[in-house]
Amino acid sequence: MTERIRSTPTVRTEAKTPAVDGDPPPASRRKTGRGELRKHLTLIVALIALLLVGALTKGEDFLSTGNMITILTLASVIGVVTVGMTFVIIGGGIDLSVGAIIALASVWCTTTATQSYGVAGMVLCALLVGLGCGVLNGALIAYGRLVPFIVTLAMMVAARGLAEQISGRQSQLVTTDLLALAQNRVLGIPLLVYLFVVVVAIGWIVLERTTFGRRSAAVGGNPEAARLAGIDVRRHTLLLYAASGLCCGIAAVMLTAQTTTGTSTNGQLYELDAIAAVVIGGTLLSGGFGTITGSILGVLVFTVIEDLFILNNLEQPIQAIGKGAIIVAVLLFQRFGRARAVPTLT
């Protein structure tokens, strides 16, 4: 009887530790790591297969250094948006407003009044607009207890409409040195790509090496358990959407520099591309698990596919159909793969 009473506290303490820290037990961590490695290897193999297809169909045009840099440049803007989307989806949410927020930020930062403050004023304006929209999304979802789908859908409509109102549905030309971000190169690579790498590196560190990342997975996996473990779920949810909005502000700066204009049509269907990249990268739409590495591999896969479509002169409707088919196929694969994994885990 005495031994049984003494052993009870030890068992309870060990059971609580993973929940408080947000870390899975050692055995689960090993399984998760192996599964993550398999998913990444699958994406890498798919990427290599696409490169082979490009080499066989377009040869030197596809494999040229210029085309590889073009692929990285195309991936940079949507890649930054995908980093923010990864955090939101891991946290159990969804953000349909990213494209409209980019449009609003690009229009607002390219008005004559904003450009009079120079590059610093434009960048600060875009970041504040993106962050403000993200905070508003998060506040309505976390503290207003509204459904993320509805809130971000409303933001998508409102932000796009406000962008049209500010710009008068006209393109606003950039007259400052912001264009240097897209035009200047270091070692032959545009500065946009370096900025993309920096954002990805910061996102990876935050998700994989900080308490914020562990708490994001805990909130997305089981909000009630996360609350009982001492996590302020509402505040954390707000921060997740704020991070997504900030990434949209950064992407708006990059896209404005790349296109040399601010327009209400910027960022169209970026929400589709970002969600598709996150899903194909292995992040669960139900929340609780995902990686920045997988999401970026998903971005590269879709960008290479898009580049192949363009080089083979496929029309825009065909490209859209292809993207939709890929998204559905990945979702089905993820669903059935998860169903097969349940008996093993239990």
Side-chain angles (χ1 to χ4, degrees), residues 85 88 93-98 101 137 152 241 244-245 248 271 275:
M85 185 70 76
V88 169
I94 195 74
D95 192 348
L96 302 178
S97 63
V98 292
I101 293 175
N137 278 339
T152 57
Y241 282 92
S244 178
C248 290
E271 54 277 355
I275 293 172

Side-chain angles (χ1 to χ4, degrees), residues 225-311:
R227 185 186 68 81
L228 294 174
I231 299 174
D232 189 335
V233 175
R234 290 188 296 180
R235 184 180 66 182
H236 196 85
T237 299
L238 187 149
L239 291 175
L240 289 174
Y241 282 92
S244 178
L246 183 61
C247 286
C248 290
I250 297 172
V253 173
M254 299 168 69
L255 187 60
T256 301
Q258 192 173 14
T259 60
T260 72
T261 60
T263 174
S264 59
T265 59
N266 278 342
Q268 284 189 335
L269 296 181
Y270 271 33
E271 54 277 355
L272 171 64
D273 292 340
I275 293 172
V278 171
V279 170
I280 200 176
T283 298
L284 301 181
L285 278 175
S286 57
F289 175 79
T291 64
I292 295 295
T293 304
S295 296
I296 297 308
L297 286 173
V299 169
L300 292 176
V301 167
F302 273 103
T303 305
V304 172
I305 291 174
E306 184 176 355
D307 186 66
L308 285 173
F309 286 162
I310 294 173
L311 288 178

Side-chain angles (χ1 to χ4, degrees), residues 9 26 53 70 75 80 84 108 159-160 175 186 191 194 229 231 273 278-279 285 311-312 334:
V53 170
T70 298
V80 170
W108 209 323
R160 188 75 68 179
T175 58
V186 177
L191 294 178
Y194 290 104
I231 299 174
D273 292 340
V278 171
V279 170
L285 278 175
L311 288 178
N312 286 280
Q334 187 183 73

Side-chain angles (χ1 to χ4, degrees), residues 23-170:
D23 288 327
S28 299
R29 190 183 298 115
R30 287 195 295 270
K31 291 179 182 178
T32 301
R34 288 197 294 269
E36 179 184 330
L37 179 61
R38 284 196 297 270
K39 288 180 180 179
H40 291 173
L41 286 176
T42 301
L43 288 173
I44 293 172
V45 170
L47 192 57
I48 294 174
L50 288 171
L51 292 176
L52 290 176
V53 170
L56 292 174
T57 57
K58 286 299 176 180
E60 294 182 358
D61 292 337
F62 178 78
L63 294 177
S64 66
T65 302
N67 189 59
M68 292 296 106
I69 293 177
T70 298
I71 291 175
L72 290 176
T73 304
L74 290 174
S76 60
V77 177
I78 189 62
V80 170
V81 178
T82 301
V83 171
M85 185 70 76
T86 301
F87 277 95
V88 169
I89 294 181
I90 288 176
I94 195 74
D95 192 348
L96 302 178
S97 63
V98 292
I101 293 175
I102 290 173
L104 178 59
S106 70
V107 165
W108 209 323
C109 78
T110 54
T111 60
T112 303
T114 304
Q115 291 197 59
S116 64
Y117 290 97
V119 174
M122 294 179 65
V123 172
L124 181 61
C125 177
L127 296 182
L128 288 178
V129 170
L131 181 61
C133 291
V135 168
L136 181 57
N137 278 339
L140 292 173
I141 292 167
Y143 295 96
R145 300 179 183 275
L146 300 179
V147 180
F149 181 89
I150 300 300
V151 171
T152 57
L153 182 63
M155 176 61 76
M156 177 181 71
V157 176
R160 188 75 68 179
L162 183 55
E164 292 180 355
Q165 182 69 26
I166 293 174
S167 65
R169 297 187 177 183
Q170 295 180 351

